[in-house]
Amino acid sequence: MAGTTKTSTKTPKGDGAAKKAAPKKKAASPATNGAFTPDTPDVRVYRGSGRTHESLGLSADDVLEMYQNMLLQRRFEERAAQMYGRQKIAGFLHLYIGQEAVSTGAVRALRDDDPIITAYRDHGLALARGMSSDAGMAELFGKIDGCSRGKGGSMHFFDVDKHFYGGHGIVGGQIPVGVGMGFALKYRETGGVALAFFGDGAINQGAFHEAANLASLYDVPVLLIVENNEYAMGTSVARARGDANLYKQGYPYGMKTAVIDGMDLFEVYGAFQEIADDARGETDGQTKPYFVEVQTYRYRGHSMSDPQKYRTKEELEGKKGEDPILRVKAYILEHELFPVERLDEVDEDVKAEVMAAVDFAEQSPLPDVSTMYEDVYAQEDYPFIV
Ligand SMILES: Cc1ncc(C[n+]2csc(CCOP(=O)(O)OP(=O)(O)O)c2C)c(N)n1
Ligand SMILES: [Mg+2]
């Protein structure tokens, strides 16, 4: 495509949408052998800004709902870990515990039909998007009433009605798909923005770089969000990267960039509101991608069998002092939004919901073996299946 403004996008006759979606570059002045001014990257930092629920336009009830949502993710996974120990759940189980401010804050800031895609550490985002704990737990148990009819398991939560597109096990594999979803939004002129979440380990995959470049060229309304939880399995970011400042990964592609304190619900919420609006083109009439680093931490191992020799107890304990759920709880109490008794009630409600989900999952039947090849391809008569 170099040297031409042509695009390979197929355009139905008379349809101006693809033309609008085509790249019209904007290339920043290249560094040629002459005078040039270095670019100053556009980075927004969302950390320690002192945002309050009032400054964000949130009511006390909104804050309580968000607290409840984070707590649901936490209790759901604590119970899932227990059920894994009882061999009710097979295969892999990657817990999101510690990262709940990211899911709740981001999802709450979006429109309900902004599509979301993520990796295998997917329970938190699915629950934040409104998947029922019944459908989630049944999926973990491999039962027919699970969100993927019991055939996806922990790594493949999916809910098209809620615009939640998985749940993907190949590190980085979901990133190009997320950019494609964003492209579709632009092509159809819906005003939506797609969210592609991935881990710090995925940034080293070629798929990320190819997708990021296309997102930039086509001004795709997509947020490329790295949830930097400091480790990819047992490898710390510092050991895996020449430059551990992941936020810089948007620079080579000319993207706007944001860095967010992912342990602070209000920072995440406020950031995603601003960024998503800008990516939709609401600020300047131009859709665009963003590169977003959310700095977070996972309190549990990579998956259920992880001796965690790569970090010290002191490090883990120190991070637990920043627990995003305890921070919201402290905020609610400090600002006297609700008394502690109300928060205890919320916790009891959430625990009861999760226990009911376990019963639901126990009672749901296993999928019949005859359904094995169903739900593999969207095209029902796809020729290469039995
Ligand atoms: C292409 C590919 N390579 C390797 C793996 C094995 N693997 C599974 S998870 C993982 C680490 C990914 O870490 P990160 O992206 O930081 O996500 P996190 O687990 O921290 O959420 C690796 C290497 C895989 N699933 N896919
Ligand atoms: Mg990681």
Side-chain angles (χ1 to χ4, degrees):
M1 209 186 286
T4 168
T5 51
K6 274 194 186 139
T7 165
S8 61
T9 310
K10 297 263 186 304
T11 315
K13 258 204 169 135
D15 180 356
K19 213 169 163 204
K20 276 190 197 150
K24 44 174 168 333
K25 266 305 99 162
K26 86 177 177 193
S29 36
T32 51
N33 187 13
F36 75 96
T37 316
D39 273 350
T40 310
D42 185 343
V43 185
R44 302 178 180 190
V45 180
Y46 298 88
R47 176 179 288 282
S49 68
R51 283 178 167 78
T52 63
H53 71 289
E54 282 148 337
S55 71
L56 291 164
L58 295 167
S59 69
D61 284 337
D62 291 333
V63 179
L64 192 68
E65 259 178 42
M66 291 164 94
Y67 175 70
Q68 177 152 0
N69 185 255
M70 291 168 77
L71 209 50
L72 175 65
Q73 296 168 53
R74 179 78 53 103
R75 300 290 179 238
F76 178 94
E77 288 200 322
E78 286 168 350
R79 192 60 73 184
Q82 188 190 41
M83 293 297 134
Y84 190 89
R86 291 189 196 162
Q87 299 188 332
K88 296 282 183 189
I89 297 171
F92 286 105
L93 184 69
H94 306 90
L95 303 181
Y96 194 70
I97 290 178
Q99 302 183 210
E100 298 93 340
V102 185
S103 47
T104 299
V107 171
R108 182 95 186 184
L110 295 167
R111 297 182 190 158
D112 290 346
D113 59 354
D114 287 329
I116 293 177
I117 194 165
T118 187
Y120 46 83
R121 204 176 291 286
D122 57 358
H123 317 143
L125 271 164
L127 291 171
R129 215 347 127 68
M131 179 183 289
S132 75
S133 29
D134 283 358
M137 195 63 81
E139 190 57 41
L140 295 182
F141 277 55
K143 301 297 188 70
I144 192 78
D145 295 305
C147 59
S148 303
R149 294 165 60 80
K151 293 182 283 183
S154 162
M155 299 202 283
H156 304 107
F157 277 24
F158 218 95
D159 191 336
V160 175
D161 291 343
K162 300 223 178 308
H163 305 273
F164 182 78
Y165 294 94
H168 295 262
I170 304 301
V171 169
Q174 77 280 15
I175 306 171
V177 183
V179 171
M181 295 190 315
F183 182 83
L185 298 174
K186 179 172 181 184
Y187 186 87
R188 295 179 181 146
E189 301 182 320
T190 67
V193 58
L195 274 75
F197 288 88
F198 47 92
D200 42 278
I203 262 194
N204 302 315
Q205 291 283 42
F208 162 73
H209 297 276
E210 295 172 32
N213 190 45
L214 284 177
S216 176
L217 267 174
Y218 282 78
D219 295 320
V220 174
V222 62
L223 310 184
L224 297 174
I225 306 150
V226 57
E227 286 189 78
N228 180 0
N229 60 11
E230 300 192 17
Y231 295 96
M233 299 182 85
T235 307
S236 68
V237 172
R239 283 182 61 216
R241 300 279 313 170
D243 183 342
N245 294 301
L246 301 186
Y247 65 88
K248 293 183 188 169
Q249 283 305 314
Y251 296 1
Y253 306 105
M255 279 188 211
K256 287 190 168 184
T257 298
V259 189
I260 306 171
D261 177 359
M263 305 308 261
D264 186 318
L265 178 68
F266 293 154
E267 294 290 352
V268 177
Y269 177 75
F272 274 85
Q273 271 194 326
E274 287 178 20
I275 296 165
D277 278 354
D278 195 21
R280 290 179 211 285
E282 287 194 356
T283 41
D284 56 4
Q286 175 62 63
T287 60
K288 61 184 83 66
Y290 259 85
F291 183 78
V292 184
E293 179 185 353
V294 190
Q295 297 173 334
T296 180
Y297 198 77
R298 69 164 152 74
Y299 292 148
R300 300 296 182 99
H302 168 72
S303 65
M304 296 306 286
S305 50
D306 175 0
Q308 301 184 51
K309 296 223 168 101
Y310 48 85
R311 60 181 174 189
T312 62
K313 283 204 176 90
E314 292 72 34
E315 174 184 313
L316 183 56
E317 287 315 309
K319 294 285 185 178
K320 283 188 176 170
E322 295 175 42
D323 188 321
I325 298 185
L326 296 182
R327 276 169 79 163
V328 179
K329 183 175 184 176
Y331 181 95
I332 292 174
L333 296 175
E334 229 171 79
H335 290 76
E336 300 183 347
L337 302 184
F338 292 95
V340 72
E341 293 76 21
R342 181 76 188 97
L343 300 187
D344 292 344
E345 234 171 68
V346 165
D347 201 359
E348 289 311 312
D349 289 351
V350 163
K351 282 182 187 157
E353 178 180 333
V354 173
M355 275 320 290
V358 168
D359 286 344
F360 177 83
E362 290 271 21
Q363 272 151 42
S364 172
L366 288 164
D368 193 83
V369 84
S370 65
T371 67
M372 177 103 86
Y373 295 105
E374 290 172 10
D375 312 311
V376 178
Y377 294 97
Q379 184 186 333
E380 280 174 18
D381 59 352
Y382 193 71
F384 304 111
I385 48 178
V386 187

